[in-house]
């Protein structure tokens, strides 16, 4: 089945630790995105990538890093510099950046 | 100018009733307005979308009404069902640095009671 797979579904981080969230898509989409969702708030854009080996900062990129070495993969690293990492993280993709975005089922990150 | 304001924050509707969710925006550069539906523990799913040159779009029980002069758009869910209970997000799209950026509203939690 075609779709966007995020793993793990739940993730726990210790203070001072970096963690990496996985996002894989088999839709052959060029563009991929990472959003953060907090209770009572809309989705906020962390990073986006329009094509392999290229990515741009979104509105809240501080404390996060990404890579786009393969078309189907766009992992997000939450670094120790992110002071409030507890949130629901959503990955999305679209055929091109001007096409509708489709979302994965998210990873919920919590701090131990 | 980048904000999209969504109301109400939560909504309770009886089965068979009409659910109405409203959004307002300021930036006239927005060119596409999608609505997403999100169930608990899942990612948002695109429900219906409209462009500003159209005043209304209907897909099944879901209708978007768009008022360009007032910079407002709304989602109407006719004959609301318990299965429609979810969080709904409006969004608006604009071009920023060659990239089409989505700005999301804060969401409306809809509960449809049997």
């Amino acid at each position: 089945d075609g779709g966007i797979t995020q793993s793990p579904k739940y993730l726990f981080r210790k203070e001072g630790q970096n963690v990496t969230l996985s996002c894989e898509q088999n839709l052959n989409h060029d563009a991929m995105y990472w959003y953060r969702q907090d209770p009572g708030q809309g989705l906020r854009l962390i990073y986006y990538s329009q094509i392999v080996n290229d990515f741009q900062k979104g509105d809240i990129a501080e404390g996060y890093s990404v890579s786009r070495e393969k078309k189907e993969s766009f992992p997000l690293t939450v670094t120790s510099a992110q002071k409030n990492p507890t949130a629901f993280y959503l990955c999305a993709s679209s055929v091109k950046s001007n096409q509708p975005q489709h979302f994965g089922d998210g990873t919920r990150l919590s701090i131990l | 100018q980048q904000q999209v304001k969504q109301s109400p924050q939560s909504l309770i509707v009886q089965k068979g009733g009409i659910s109405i969710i409203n959004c307002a925006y300021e930036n006239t550069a927005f060119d596409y307005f999608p609505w997403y539906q999100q169930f608990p523990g899942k990612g948002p799913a695109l429900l219906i979308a409209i462009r500003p040159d159209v005043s209304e779009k209907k897909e099944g029980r879901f209708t978007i009404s768009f008022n360009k002069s007032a910079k407002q758009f709304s989602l109407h869910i006719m004959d609301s069902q318990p299965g429609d209970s979810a969080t709904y997000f409006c969004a608006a799209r604009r071009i920023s640095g060659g990239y089409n950026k989505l700005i999301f509203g804060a969401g409306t939690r809809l509960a449809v009671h049997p």
Side-chain angles (χ1 to χ4, degrees):
Chain A
D1 286 354
I4 302 169
T5 301
Q6 290 189 242
S7 61
K9 193 169 180 66
Y10 301 95
L11 187 57
F12 298 91
R13 193 191 91 170
K14 294 181 180 179
E15 293 284 349
Q17 191 178 51
N18 293 355
V19 290
T20 298
L21 284 60
S22 170
C23 178
E24 303 277 333
Q25 55 98 359
N26 60 3
L27 301 168
N28 201 32
H29 287 176
D30 281 341
M32 297 187 74
Y33 318 80
W34 275 105
Y35 290 89
R36 171 180 171 138
Q37 185 176 21
D38 294 282
Q41 296 190 37
L43 283 65
R44 292 183 291 166
L45 182 66
I46 304 173
Y47 268 97
Y48 64 95
S49 168
Q50 298 190 74
I51 198 168
V52 175
N53 292 322
D54 181 70
F55 50 83
Q56 303 294 329
K57 292 182 179 180
D59 298 321
I60 55 166
E62 186 175 350
Y64 300 97
S65 65
V66 294
S67 63
R68 186 85 189 276
E69 297 176 1
K70 298 186 295 182
K71 187 175 185 178
E72 59 270 24
S73 179
F74 191 40
L76 173 74
T77 296
V78 184
T79 74
S80 57
Q82 172 49 240
K83 297 307 179 187
N84 185 22
T86 297
F88 190 48
Y89 290 88
L90 288 159
C91 177
S93 70
S94 60
V95 175
K96 300 290 183 185
S97 66
N98 62 348
Q99 297 297 308
Q101 296 180 21
H102 301 273
F103 287 83
D105 283 339
T107 292
R108 188 166 298 280
L109 175 63
S110 301
I111 301 303
L112 290 177
Chain B
Q1 274 221 326
Q2 289 207 51
Q3 277 190 321
V4 175
K5 295 183 180 180
Q6 184 172 347
S7 63
Q9 192 173 32
S10 62
L11 181 62
I12 298 174
V13 173
Q14 292 299 122
K15 179 182 176 182
I18 302 173
S19 304
I20 302 174
I21 303 170
N22 301 299
C23 285
Y25 63 97
E26 291 293 327
N27 193 333
T28 56
F30 291 138
D31 68 346
Y32 172 75
F33 300 86
W35 284 88
Y36 284 84
Q37 178 189 55
Q38 184 179 31
F39 293 105
K42 296 293 186 180
L46 180 64
L47 190 62
I48 187 173
I50 197 168
R51 297 189 184 277
D53 54 347
V54 176
S55 61
E56 184 175 283
K57 183 174 181 180
K58 183 176 181 179
E59 290 184 3
R61 295 185 295 110
F62 300 91
T63 299
I64 300 178
S65 297
F66 190 87
N67 186 330
K68 189 174 181 178
S69 61
K71 297 180 191 173
Q72 294 175 348
F73 58 110
S74 60
L75 176 70
H76 291 64
I77 306 174
M78 312 300 288
D79 187 26
S80 299
Q81 299 296 313
D84 296 330
S85 298
T87 299
Y88 292 81
F89 293 94
C90 64
R93 187 184 74 181
R94 67 176 181 90
I95 295 176
S96 173
Y99 154 73
N100 288 268
K101 182 177 181 180
L102 279 180
I103 310 296
F104 286 85
T108 295
R109 183 171 291 185
L110 171 65
V112 181
H113 289 180

